């Protein structure tokens, strides 16, 4: 019997080769009907025998293109009307919008053509197809169509045009389709603007790289600063020029070469080799790469080539440093002018092309947790602008996010469009980038916010922006502030769709607390709409406020003075002096605390890490965020079970007193226990008191779910221990997956809590 079904598919189904796939599948199963793009997905009608239709629906979900993602598939029985063939129909534009696909790493098929000397796209550095290529980074307007991308200035040649309109072709409706005849071109310039004459700019650039030059190379979301990762002199020079003494650099290598420098499990390989192709932090293996790339670090940030130009370069030179081209804390540079203006003292050449990058985005970064799967640190290229589900429907909302590692979220109903990583909102360039992306997101996703959500910190630029939005708005735009760590916890609950009550542990750097103090070592109980702070680390003084974060020894001096008095400070910092601090500076800090002048109080876990790291003499002044804490993590010895004594002071909220813990560290230092063991004991102690507090809370509030959020959980040593111990104790543990555990998750949490708060 002939039947007919309509199938509506939502998700990432446009710009990823979905319609040709449906077309082939339908023909394969001898089904008639049509497929077409609509503004919110793909519509299919199939007519044929029952078993074929069943097969069709099954294979639709199992065999769909690698870069596609089906979020929702609905079927409806219809009366057959006697279609005589299967066709791809003209798109149907409804009110609403289509999802924009993220940029997709070059696919296998394209690579085969790239290396096939008989193919017309042999070594063509812009090769792409419906399954791969640039998407997000080239679009300036929706819906996604060539004329609304930066491919609009390249007129397709007749060969490309033929492919573009041939439904069975892999390039059918591949918007960035092009070839060497009609497509963009690479060119190599010296930094003073003169073009390097060559008929192969890419291999010429590779030659220069081999000779130790540092070059800016235009990729998908921006330029990279590139150098030979096996040449230590190059790395040292780059560090000096970029004023980046120790922060690790990422490396790009082909799969077969990657295996030689890092350990790669199957699970990790699946992610790094996916269409997203993020940077992954993997454990180092052999010393092909010079130590300077990631000094004193057990991990190496690595990625596979994801644009054709990368593949062509790596053919000539196997290991490349690839670091975002920017000057400290500014957004990534995306055009030649930017390179000349900003990077002229770092690179001597730049390899660029004439396909404009419309939307800048950095490489995404993550690592793999054996028990919890992928954990993302920076969510940008390959992920944006795919929306993240919200646990409930929200009104049109703009959440402006935090100050550091800013992302904003534009949301409506159950979809949250979390922006790419914007950066630290403390310079004009980053602010411009923020405003540019807010405008674009509003336009693309047709969301005009009715609610603005922001952090409580009165001085954050993001908070000021929120106030300005309200002032400028012509209608009754509402504004809600959400506490930083509540946003963290709610973000984690939200992305995991935990709607009932849970314990929330926020271990973080800093965030403005509801009592005006700086929070960051917090315990909460609550759900998506109400959070109560039920525990925290004891408050200790930060001399000079957040400025002391750059010099963590100042934190240690302040903490030790407050807890034990001047003698212990002298003992730790003047006599033994793992870090040399001038006597006068010690006195100044002590006086600040004595007179309570220019001192703020904090319960931050990040600062406690800084304190212990300084006591061990690991770092004097940090050169990138959390450097001291990261060093403390990396030296931690394995298989140590001891813990420092600690005390939890009863009350509401509970407080973790830190004097016993730090006294334990001091004693170990005097007994000349190795820093690795001290670090391990310190980590263990955190897990122990966290579990003890949680057990108390479980008894009082009767809950067995716990979630972890905050920048400190980027510490894999700590996170793994927490997951293990809480799991052993019978807790259901939730961590971030789709969003970073650092402040990159804040705007999403603000969206949820802001809406819940606004409803009350
Ligand atoms: Zn392809
Ligand atoms: Zn062409
Ligand atoms: Fe935070």
């Amino acid at each position: 019997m002939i039947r007919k079904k309509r199938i509506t598919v939502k998700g990432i189904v446009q710009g990823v080769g979905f319609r040709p796939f449906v077309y082939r599948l339908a023909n394969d199963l001898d089904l008639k009907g049509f497929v077409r793009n609509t503004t919110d997905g793909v519509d299919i009608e199939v007519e044929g025998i029952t078993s074929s239709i069943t097969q069709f629906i099954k294979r639709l979900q199992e065999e769909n293109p690698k870069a596609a993602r089906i979020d929702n598939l609905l079927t409806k029985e219809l009366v057959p009307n006697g279609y005589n063939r299967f066709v791809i129909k003209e798109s149907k534009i409804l009110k609403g919008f289509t999802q924009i696909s993220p940029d997709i790493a070059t696919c296998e098929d394209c690579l085969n053509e790239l290396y096939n000397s008989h193919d017309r796209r042999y070594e063509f550095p812009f090769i792409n197809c419906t399954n791969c290529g640039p998407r997000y980074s080239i679009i300036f307007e929706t819906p996604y169509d060539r004329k609304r991308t930066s491919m609009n200035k390249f007129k397709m040649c007749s060969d490309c045009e033929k492919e573009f309109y041939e439904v069975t072709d892999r390039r059918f409706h591949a918007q960035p389709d092009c070839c060497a005849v009609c497509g963009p071109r690479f060119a190599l310039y010296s930094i003073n603007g003169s073009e390097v004459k060559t008929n192969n700019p890419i291999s010429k650039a590779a030659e220069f790289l081999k000779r130790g030059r540092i070059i800016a190379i235009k990729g998908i979301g921006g330029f990279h600063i590139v150098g030979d990762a096996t040449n230590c002199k190059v790395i040292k020079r780059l560090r000096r020029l970029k004023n980046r003494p120790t922060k690790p650099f990422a490396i790009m290598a082909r799969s077969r070469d990657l295996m030689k420098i890092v350990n790669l499990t199957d699970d990790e390989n699946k992610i790094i080799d996916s269409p997203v192709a993020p940077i992954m932090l993997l454990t180092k293996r052999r010393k092909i790469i010079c130590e300077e790339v990631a000094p004193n670090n057990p991990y190496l940030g690595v990625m596979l080539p994801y644009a054709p130009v990368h593949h062509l370069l790596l053919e000539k030179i196997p290991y490349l440093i690839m670091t975002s081209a920017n000057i400290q804390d500014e957004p990534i540079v995306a055009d030649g002018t930017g390179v000349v203006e900003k990077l002229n003292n770092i690179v001597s050449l730049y390899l660029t092309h004439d396909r404009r990058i419309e939307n800048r985005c950095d490489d995404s970064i993550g690592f793999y947790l054996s028990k919890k799967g992928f954990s993302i640190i920076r969510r940008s290229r390959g992920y944006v602008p795919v929306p993240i589900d919200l646990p409930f429907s929200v009104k049109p909302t703009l959440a402006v996010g935090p100050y550091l590692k800013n992302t904003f979220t534009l949301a409506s109903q159950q979809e949250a469009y979390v922006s790419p990583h914007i950066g630290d909102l403390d310079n004009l360039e980053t602010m411009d980038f923020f405003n540019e992306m807010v405008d674009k997101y509003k336009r693309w996703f047709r969301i005009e916010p009715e609610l603005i959500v922001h952090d409580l910190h009165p001085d954050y630029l993001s908070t000021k922006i929120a106030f300005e939005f309200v002032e400028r708005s012509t209608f009754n735009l509402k504004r809600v502030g959400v506490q930083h760590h509540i946003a963290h916890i709610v973000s984690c609950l939200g992305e995991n769709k935990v709607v009932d009550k849970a314990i929330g542990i926020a271990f973080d750097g800093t965030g403005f607390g509801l009592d005006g103090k700086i929070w960051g070592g917090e315990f909460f109980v609550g759900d998506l709409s109400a959070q109560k702070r039920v525990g925290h680390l004891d408050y200790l003084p930060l001399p000079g406020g957040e400025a002391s974060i750059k010099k963590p020894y100042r934190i240690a001096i302040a903490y030790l003075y407050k807890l034990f008095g001047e003698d212990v400070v002298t003992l730790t910092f003047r006599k033994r002096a793992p870090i040399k601090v001038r006597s006068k500076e010690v006195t100044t800090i002590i006086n600040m605390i004595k007179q309570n002048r220019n001192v703020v109080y904090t319960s931050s876990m990040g600062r406690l890490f800084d304190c212990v790291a300084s006591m061990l003499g690991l770092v004097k002044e940090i050169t990138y965020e959390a450097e001291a804490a990261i060093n403390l993590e990396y030296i931690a010895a394995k298989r140590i079970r001891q813990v420092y004594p600690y005390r939890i002071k009863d009350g509401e909220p509970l407080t973790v007193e830190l004097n016993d813990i730090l006294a334990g560290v001091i004693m170990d230092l005097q007994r000349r226990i190795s820093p690795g063991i001290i670090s391990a004991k310190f980590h263990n102690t955190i897990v122990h008191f966290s579990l003890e507090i949680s057990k108390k809370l479980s008894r009082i509030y009767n809950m067995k779910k716990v979630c972890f959020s905050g920048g400190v959980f980027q510490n894999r040593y700590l996170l793994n221990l927490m997951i293990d111990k809480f799991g052993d104790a019978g807790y259901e543990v939730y961590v971030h997956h789709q969003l970073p555990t650092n402040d990159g998750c804040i705007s999403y949490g603000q969206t949820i809590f802001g809406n819940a708060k606004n409803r009350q």
Side-chain angles (χ1 to χ4, degrees):
M1 196 182 73
I2 297 293
R3 288 170 57 198
K4 174 179 167 185
K5 260 190 207 282
R6 171 176 301 144
I7 303 156
T8 341
V9 190
K10 286 184 187 171
I12 310 290
V13 288
Q14 295 185 11
V16 290
F18 200 79
R19 285 174 305 167
F21 154 71
V22 170
Y23 178 87
R24 283 191 296 270
L25 187 58
N27 281 321
D28 208 28
L29 293 163
D30 200 27
L31 294 168
K32 317 292 180 204
F34 68 83
V35 55
R36 73 174 162 204
N37 280 347
T38 63
T39 25
D40 61 352
V42 165
D43 258 359
I44 305 164
E45 283 191 16
V46 279
E47 228 174 83
I49 55 171
T50 312
S51 63
S52 295
I53 293 181
T54 314
Q55 268 294 310
F56 180 80
I57 295 169
K58 189 164 165 263
R59 288 175 60 185
L60 197 62
Q61 295 169 80
E62 285 171 0
E63 297 171 18
N64 66 64
K66 211 176 168 187
R69 190 185 86 187
I70 296 181
D71 290 337
N72 189 312
L73 185 147
L74 292 171
T75 64
K76 194 179 169 198
E77 194 74 38
L78 298 173
V79 183
N81 55 349
Y83 287 125
N84 55 16
R85 58 200 183 111
F86 194 90
V87 293
I88 298 183
K89 271 210 213 173
E90 193 68 15
S91 304
K92 187 179 167 190
I93 308 292
L94 304 162
K95 212 168 82 54
F97 55 86
T98 39
Q99 306 290 22
I100 300 170
S101 162
D103 300 311
I104 307 165
T106 312
C107 75
E108 281 299 316
D109 291 335
C110 285
L111 285 181
N112 288 334
E113 292 169 351
L114 186 70
Y115 293 129
N116 176 359
S117 57
H118 301 297
D119 194 275
R120 71 185 193 93
R121 289 191 182 81
Y122 176 59
E123 293 194 339
F124 176 56
F126 298 91
I127 190 167
N128 68 83
C129 71
T130 50
N131 300 315
C132 76
R135 301 285 187 272
Y136 168 83
S137 60
I138 57 168
I139 192 170
F140 54 81
E141 195 50 85
T142 53
Y144 175 65
D145 243 326
R146 188 180 182 103
K147 60 175 179 283
R148 296 182 199 89
T149 71
S150 53
M151 282 305 291
N152 63 355
K153 70 175 198 184
F154 303 98
K155 194 180 157 5
M156 270 188 278
C157 69
S158 59
D159 287 338
C160 288
E161 203 161 59
K162 222 183 280 161
E163 297 166 334
F164 189 86
Y165 290 110
E166 172 54 56
V167 282
T168 54
D169 196 278
R170 204 172 88 248
R171 296 197 169 83
F172 173 66
H173 282 196
Q175 305 300 339
D177 187 18
C178 58
C179 69
V181 175
C182 65
R185 275 161 218 268
F186 266 99
L188 183 64
Y189 292 91
S190 79
I191 198 70
N192 62 30
S194 57
E195 187 173 346
V196 179
K197 290 277 168 267
T198 165
N199 52 13
N200 194 339
I202 295 175
S203 77
K204 191 81 188 165
E207 267 172 45
F208 278 116
L209 287 169
K210 271 197 260 183
R211 277 189 259 146
R213 300 286 279 271
I214 297 169
I215 303 183
I217 298 179
K218 189 169 175 179
I220 297 295
F223 275 84
H224 283 110
I225 296 173
V226 185
D228 181 355
T230 61
N231 184 337
C232 300
K233 277 194 200 142
V234 167
I235 313 306
K236 279 184 189 145
R237 197 167 77 237
L238 180 55
R239 289 207 173 282
R240 200 182 62 241
L241 295 173
K242 222 176 173 251
N243 190 17
R244 179 167 157 157
T246 52
K247 192 178 179 188
F249 288 121
I251 282 180
M252 184 181 271
R254 293 169 300 184
S255 196
R256 55 181 177 277
D257 297 322
L258 211 58
M259 316 278 198
K260 297 177 197 156
I261 57 169
V262 287
N263 292 314
L264 187 65
T265 63
D266 285 351
D267 291 322
E268 287 168 335
N269 191 49
K270 255 180 226 152
I271 299 163
I272 200 166
D273 197 19
S274 71
V276 175
I279 295 173
M280 285 196 72
L281 303 181
L282 301 174
T283 43
K284 276 183 192 167
R285 224 175 132 189
R286 265 196 287 148
K287 303 241 183 284
I288 298 175
I289 302 302
C290 69
E291 180 61 14
E292 274 297 308
V293 170
N296 304 319
N297 190 323
Y299 305 112
L300 207 53
V302 293
M303 63 183 144
L304 294 176
Y306 56 82
V309 59
H310 300 150
H311 288 277
L312 296 170
L313 281 169
L314 291 169
E315 283 296 306
K316 310 261 191 252
I317 174 166
Y319 298 103
L320 292 173
I321 291 281
M322 282 264 177
T323 186
S324 291
N326 60 359
I327 47 176
Q328 239 172 4
D329 301 330
E330 284 187 14
I332 189 164
V333 169
D335 55 33
T337 332
V339 173
V340 175
E341 273 172 20
K342 311 225 167 202
L343 307 174
N344 55 56
N345 67 333
I346 300 175
V347 302
S348 54
L349 295 150
Y350 63 105
L351 180 64
T352 186
H353 59 71
D354 52 352
R355 186 178 70 199
R356 245 181 79 82
I357 293 172
E358 293 292 335
N359 309 301
R360 289 170 280 181
C361 60
D362 291 274
D363 293 314
S364 296
I365 311 175
F367 59 84
Y368 193 85
L369 284 172
S370 52
K371 289 207 173 141
K372 288 285 173 188
F374 191 52
S375 187
I376 200 164
I377 293 175
R378 184 163 77 197
R379 181 183 181 272
S380 281
R381 179 189 49 77
Y383 292 100
V384 290
V386 183
I388 295 174
D389 268 3
L390 284 161
F392 57 79
S393 187
V394 301
K395 65 161 62 183
T397 303
L398 173 66
V400 295
Y403 154 54
L404 292 173
K405 295 197 171 64
N406 180 280
T407 64
F408 65 82
T409 294
L410 190 65
S412 177
Q413 297 177 0
Q414 252 174 282
E415 286 177 323
Y417 294 89
V418 182
S419 74
H421 168 77
I422 302 284
D424 300 349
L425 290 184
D426 56 4
N427 60 66
L428 207 64
E429 280 75 9
T430 315
M431 282 307 304
D432 287 347
F433 186 31
F434 177 95
N435 287 319
E436 172 197 328
M437 292 321 295
V438 169
D439 285 345
K440 284 177 172 170
Y441 268 47
K442 277 160 68 174
R443 216 171 61 225
W444 294 341
F445 305 117
R446 321 251 150 107
I447 299 172
E448 192 48 56
E450 292 166 22
L451 178 69
I452 300 274
V453 195
H454 59 86
D455 195 89
L456 292 180
H457 201 304
D459 300 333
Y460 278 6
L461 274 178
S462 54
T463 310
K464 289 178 180 156
I465 295 168
F467 278 80
E468 275 168 28
F469 269 118
V470 175
E471 264 170 40
R472 271 189 316 199
S473 82
T474 47
F475 60 97
N476 185 20
L477 182 63
K478 291 229 171 82
R479 187 184 55 72
V480 178
V482 173
Q483 200 278 324
H484 185 90
H485 301 103
I486 292 181
H488 265 296
I489 295 302
V490 168
S491 180
C492 186
L493 293 175
E495 73 156 276
N496 285 294
K497 302 259 172 61
V498 178
V499 291
D500 38 352
K501 286 198 161 70
I503 296 168
I505 303 181
F507 288 163
D508 204 24
T510 46
F512 195 76
L514 291 168
D515 55 3
K517 296 190 166 90
I518 304 291
W519 294 5
E522 316 301 313
F523 294 80
F524 292 91
V525 291
D527 58 19
L528 297 170
S529 58
Q531 287 287 332
K532 183 165 139 194
R533 184 189 191 220
V534 288
H536 63 87
L537 299 190
D538 204 2
Y539 287 127
L540 284 171
L542 269 185
E546 294 184 28
S548 58
I549 293 170
K550 294 248 189 273
K551 295 178 178 177
Y553 65 87
R554 294 170 67 97
I555 299 170
I557 292 169
Y559 280 21
L560 296 182
Y561 174 73
K562 182 79 186 172
L563 293 173
F564 310 109
E566 201 161 344
D567 288 351
V568 171
V569 175
T570 306
L571 188 75
T572 318
F573 281 97
R574 282 179 174 153
K575 288 215 178 105
R576 250 185 11 89
I579 290 173
K580 299 256 179 293
V581 185
R582 287 206 327 264
S583 205
K584 211 174 128 204
E585 194 175 1
V586 177
T587 313
T588 310
I589 295 166
I590 290 176
N591 284 337
M592 282 165 89
I593 294 155
K594 268 189 194 156
Q595 297 156 11
N596 201 20
R597 178 173 45 84
N598 199 5
V599 164
V600 291
Y601 276 76
T602 184
S603 55
S604 162
M605 180 60 88
R607 298 298 81 80
L608 184 62
F609 268 84
D610 285 343
C611 169
V612 174
S614 299
M615 289 167 75
L616 302 192
L618 297 183
V619 165
K620 188 172 182 194
E621 285 184 41
I622 62 167
T623 57
Y624 61 94
E625 203 203 352
E627 185 176 0
I630 289 168
N631 286 344
L632 189 58
E633 171 192 352
Y634 290 164
I635 61 158
K638 306 267 149 35
R639 285 180 289 276
I640 300 292
R641 297 192 178 247
Q642 293 147 283
V643 226
Y644 288 118
Y646 59 85
R647 223 159 11 123
I648 295 165
K649 200 162 80 196
D650 273 326
E652 178 90 50
L654 301 159
T655 34
V656 184
E657 298 197 328
L658 302 174
N659 30 1
D660 290 348
I661 302 175
L662 295 181
V665 175
I666 292 167
M667 257 152 64
D668 275 355
L669 279 172
Q670 285 180 318
R671 290 163 50 212
R672 303 199 178 278
I673 303 291
S674 86
I677 294 176
I678 297 177
S679 167
K681 285 171 76 175
F682 173 66
H683 280 86
N684 291 344
T685 312
I686 296 168
V687 180
H688 269 252
F689 70 65
S690 299
L691 193 56
E692 189 177 326
I693 289 181
S694 298
K695 283 178 177 167
K696 278 181 201 274
L697 296 173
S698 292
R699 279 195 297 275
I700 305 170
Y701 297 97
N702 190 29
M703 45 185 84
K704 264 305 201 189
K705 292 184 177 173
V706 64
C707 80
F708 306 147
S709 186
V712 172
F713 288 111
Q714 274 173 224
N715 178 327
R716 282 154 93 169
Y717 187 94
L718 181 70
L719 181 56
N720 278 320
L721 264 180
M722 292 279 284
I723 290 169
D724 284 348
K725 298 292 175 205
F726 275 77
D728 291 348
Y731 282 92
E732 252 178 71
V733 179
Y734 296 93
V735 297
H736 288 281
H737 295 288
Q738 301 180 70
L739 288 162
T741 195
N742 60 45
D743 285 2
C745 77
I746 291 292
S747 62
Y748 176 81
Q750 287 176 339
T751 302
I752 299 172
F753 203 71
N755 271 277
K757 232 173 131 178
N758 185 57
R759 272 196 310 225
Q760 286 158 2

